[in-house]
Amino acid sequence: MSEVLRAEGLSKRFTGIKANENVSFSMEAGSIRAIIGPNGAGKTTFLSMISGHLPPTTGKIFHKGQDVTRMDVVKRARRGILRKFQTPSVFDELSVYENLEIAVLGTNRAADPRPARIRSVLETVRLADRPDALCKHLSHGQRQWLEIGLLLGRNADLLLLDEPTAGMTAEETAATASLIKELTKDHTLSVIVIEHDIDFIRDLEAPVMVLHLGEVLTEGSFDSVANDQRVRDVYLGT
Ligand SMILES: Nc1ncnc2c1ncn2[C@@H]1O[C@H](COP(=O)(O)OP(=O)(O)O)[C@@H](O)[C@H]1O
Ligand SMILES: [Mg+2]
């Protein structure tokens, strides 16, 4: 296995706030990593430094061994570091298929715009039976899945998902965990996912990093983290 991402001593300070403090992190290509922690723990800030939306105050980020610390968002996206934001950005008046076509044809020359590729993405994100549906008619969960599909339609290598199940029904949430596991099952795509829903995190069966006050409180399997008294104190107990 090879390393897809490594962060060394990442810190991010806003005026008077240590949003991230000396966060080090590494993950293997083709794996899933969950990040949990209470509100304000620094989870989104961490993801923003990985995607290139925020420059770290100190520290370094390596993608597949290359230092990307000073690389801008667009260049990182071309390397396949793609981020899904919490607010959906699909075109409501266009169909599922059209949204995907735009994503694929849009910016990325390395992406594959052939119908077969688009069909395969639709299947992955559980929208194969709704290619012609207008996005405004999708359920909240389906819109979130389409957003993931839009990332897959480009040449994704590392997906960054910030609270992808927010607002979903229990069924949609469970289906999202299966979907994310399927994405990584051939060990090419990697996923970092921030979530609050503990059942969802358990379903991912992935290592968990716990952030608290901008620092790594602990890291490990779901069970080891869930049974850690410090984690219970700051997060699960709340
Ligand atoms: N752009 C910003 N300017 C100032 N403070 C920020 C900014 N973004 C986040 N913060 C602060 O940094 C801390 C971590 O925030 P965030 O990364 O959003 O946490 P989380 O995603 O874990 O809820 C919080 O105290 C938040 O208020
Ligand atoms: Mg956040």
Side-chain angles (χ1 to χ4, degrees):
M1 292 274 257
S2 60
E3 192 178 58
V4 63
L5 187 75
R6 185 164 86 253
E8 291 177 355
L10 282 189
S11 296
K12 181 69 189 177
R13 303 204 179 91
F14 298 109
T15 322
I17 295 168
K18 290 179 174 176
N20 267 213
E21 183 66 12
N22 198 26
V23 175
S24 291
F25 174 96
S26 88
M27 70 186 284
E28 295 294 317
S31 67
I32 301 173
R33 185 64 55 92
I35 302 179
I36 65 171
N39 280 332
K43 305 179 297 296
T44 297
T45 300
F46 177 74
L47 226 56
S48 299
M49 291 193 284
I50 302 303
S51 64
H53 288 89
L54 280 178
T57 307
T58 61
K60 282 186 181 295
I61 301 162
F62 297 86
H63 176 237
K64 294 173 160 175
Q66 186 174 335
D67 188 341
V68 298
T69 314
R70 285 174 221 293
M71 198 178 275
D72 66 30
V73 178
V74 174
K75 287 205 182 101
R76 288 192 218 194
R78 278 200 204 112
R79 293 179 63 88
I81 304 175
L82 298 176
R83 176 174 186 183
K84 179 190 165 308
F85 285 89
Q86 281 168 267
T87 39
S89 57
V90 296
F91 295 105
D92 265 344
E93 301 295 333
L94 296 181
S95 72
V96 166
Y97 193 94
E98 288 165 336
N99 266 279
L100 211 39
E101 245 180 350
I102 289 170
V104 170
L105 295 172
T107 50
N108 208 312
R109 270 172 258 127
D112 178 357
R114 283 172 294 193
R117 170 73 188 130
I118 294 181
R119 293 272 157 199
S120 135
V121 169
L122 286 175
E123 249 159 57
T124 305
V125 299
R126 286 130 173 86
L127 289 167
D129 59 341
R130 306 210 62 192
D132 301 322
L134 295 185
C135 283
K136 64 180 175 190
H137 295 141
L138 296 178
S139 73
H140 171 73
Q142 288 172 325
R143 290 167 69 96
Q144 301 295 319
W145 296 338
L146 177 58
E147 291 256 332
I148 293 174
L150 300 184
L151 304 183
L152 298 177
R154 301 159 70 182
N155 63 337
D157 180 67
L158 171 63
L159 294 189
L160 308 173
L161 308 178
D162 196 346
E163 305 191 20
T165 75
M168 283 188 181
T169 65
E171 288 76 19
E172 288 172 337
T173 300
T176 304
S178 322
L179 195 165
I180 291 171
K181 287 199 280 190
E182 274 169 42
L183 293 180
T184 56
K185 74 170 187 289
D186 64 1
H187 301 295
T188 51
L189 197 63
S190 314
V191 182
I192 301 177
V193 53
I194 294 174
E195 255 307 336
H196 281 296
D197 186 313
I198 284 306
D199 294 327
F200 171 83
I201 296 289
R202 180 191 292 112
D203 284 353
L204 289 177
E205 300 174 303
V208 179
M209 173 168 84
V210 186
L211 289 180
H212 178 50
L213 301 175
E215 295 185 50
V216 180
L217 180 68
T218 186
E219 265 186 293
S221 68
F222 177 85
D223 287 336
S224 73
V225 162
N227 290 316
D228 187 321
Q229 191 56 46
R230 294 167 305 164
V231 177
R232 302 176 87 90
D233 288 347
V234 303
Y235 184 76
L236 298 174
T238 61

